[in-house]
């Protein structure tokens, strides 16, 4: 279960300082993996990817710092519109997964590179119905392909990584749900990691993901994040 979203300033600062050694240890969980052998060719116009891999705060933060991404929005995918709210999704029975819709320029970053970041630094694809401290099917790892090409690339990449034994356990990421409707999350969930850097949950679970992006994919890293608030 997540730590409370509202904590006293003094408590948050002390907790974040105390967690620094743990943050360094946690940051080593990223995995160096090969780029996908099957990938899309550069195309005109913006494209979208919808990805689920645990709490959407961290996934959103990673892609907000990724070059070629023009927008990353936290939300829900896999279920119905009537259930697409945080408190309902949190019961784990809606079919929704906390997800992030990533809008990107395929001339700057390919769909395959989006997935490489997803598998390498954004989450652990071998954890079933959980991610870090969060458990339940709403925290599952899933790729929601928006096109047949995306589905082909995602399935081929999972097969490639499993064949190479890139991870100590098999990948459990689902890839078969085509064109699932994405529902943006509530406003207070957007840009959450950026707006709440002192939250111990962010310091321990999500800030290391951004640091790993910078360390492992320097050519894709951007220091200034692209925020939902700025897009408005």
């Amino acid at each position: 279960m997540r730590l409370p979203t509202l904590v006293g300033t003094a408590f948050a600062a002390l907790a974040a300082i105390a967690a620094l050694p743990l943050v360094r240890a946690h940051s080593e969980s990223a995995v160096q993996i090969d780029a996908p052998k099957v990938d899309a060719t550069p195309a005109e116009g913006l494209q979208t990817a919808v990805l689920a891999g645990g709490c959407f705060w961290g996934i959103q933060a990673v892609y907000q710092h990724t070059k070629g991404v023009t927008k990353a929005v936290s939300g829900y995918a896999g279920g119905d519109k009537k259930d697409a709210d945080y408190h309902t999704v949190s019961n784990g029975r809606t079919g929704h997964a906390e997800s992030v819709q990533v809008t990107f320029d395929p001339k700057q970053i390919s769909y395959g590179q989006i997935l490489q970041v997803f598998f390498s630094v954004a989450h652990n694809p071998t954890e079933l119905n959980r991610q870090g401290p969060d458990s339940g099917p709403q925290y599952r790892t899933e790729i929601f392909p928006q096109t047949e090409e995306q589905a082909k690339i995602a399935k081929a990449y999972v097969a490639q990584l499993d064949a190479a034994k890139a991870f100590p356990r098999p990948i459990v990421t689902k890839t078969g749900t085509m064109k699932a409707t994405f529902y943006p999350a509530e406003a207070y969930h957007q840009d959450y990691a950026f707006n709440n850097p002192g939250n111990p949950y962010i310091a321990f679970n999500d800030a290391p993901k951004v640091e790993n992006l910078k360390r492992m994919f320097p050519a894709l890293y951007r220091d200034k994040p692209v925020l939902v608030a700025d897009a408005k």
Side-chain angles (χ1 to χ4, degrees), residues 119-132:
F119 285 118
S120 178
V121 304
H123 84 309
N124 181 346
T126 70
E127 291 192 314
L128 181 64
N129 290 337
R130 70 170 299 112
Q131 199 67 208

Side-chain angles (χ1 to χ4, degrees), residues 106-141:
K107 286 191 172 182
Q108 298 184 47
I109 185 170
S110 70
Y111 182 69
Q113 288 175 303
I114 293 287
L115 295 187
Q116 187 178 14
V117 169
F118 178 65
F119 285 118
S120 178
V121 304
H123 84 309
N124 181 346
T126 70
E127 291 192 314
L128 181 64
N129 290 337
R130 70 170 299 112
Q131 199 67 208
D134 302 313
S135 62
Q138 71 271 32
Y139 297 113
R140 67 185 180 271
T141 170

Side-chain angles (χ1 to χ4, degrees), residues 49-180:
V50 178
L51 309 165
C55 175
F56 43 30
W57 296 340
I59 303 291
Q60 182 188 47
V62 166
Y63 287 108
Q64 288 180 323
H65 283 277
T66 302
K67 289 181 180 178
V69 171
T70 62
K71 185 187 293 185
V73 180
S74 291
Y76 315 102
D80 297 326
K81 182 178 181 179
K82 63 181 177 61
D83 297 324
D85 68 85
Y86 180 68
H87 292 292
T88 307
V89 171
S90 294
N91 69 30
R93 298 189 296 272
T94 65
H96 279 297
E98 290 197 12
S99 306
V100 174
Q101 184 186 65
V102 180
T103 304
F104 63 98
D105 182 348
K107 286 191 172 182
Q108 298 184 47
I109 185 170
S110 70
Y111 182 69
Q113 288 175 303
I114 293 287
L115 295 187
Q116 187 178 14
V117 169
F118 178 65
F119 285 118
S120 178
V121 304
H123 84 309
N124 181 346
T126 70
E127 291 192 314
L128 181 64
N129 290 337
R130 70 170 299 112
Q131 199 67 208
D134 302 313
S135 62
Q138 71 271 32
Y139 297 113
R140 67 185 180 271
T141 170
E142 183 161 5
I143 297 166
F144 297 97
Q146 302 301 292
T147 65
E148 293 292 344
E149 182 181 42
Q150 287 189 1
K152 177 182 176 181
I153 293 168
K155 291 176 182 177
Y157 198 25
V158 169
Q160 174 188 329
L161 294 175
D162 271 340
K165 298 188 184 304
F167 299 91
R169 299 186 301 277
I171 292 172
V172 296
T173 306
K174 297 180 179 180
T175 61
T177 306
M178 285 292 299
K179 298 182 180 179

Side-chain angles (χ1 to χ4, degrees), residues 30-49:
V31 177
Q32 189 76 50
I33 58 176
D34 291 335
K37 295 178 181 178
V38 178
D39 202 351
T41 56
E44 296 290 340
L46 298 178
Q47 297 181 6
T48 59

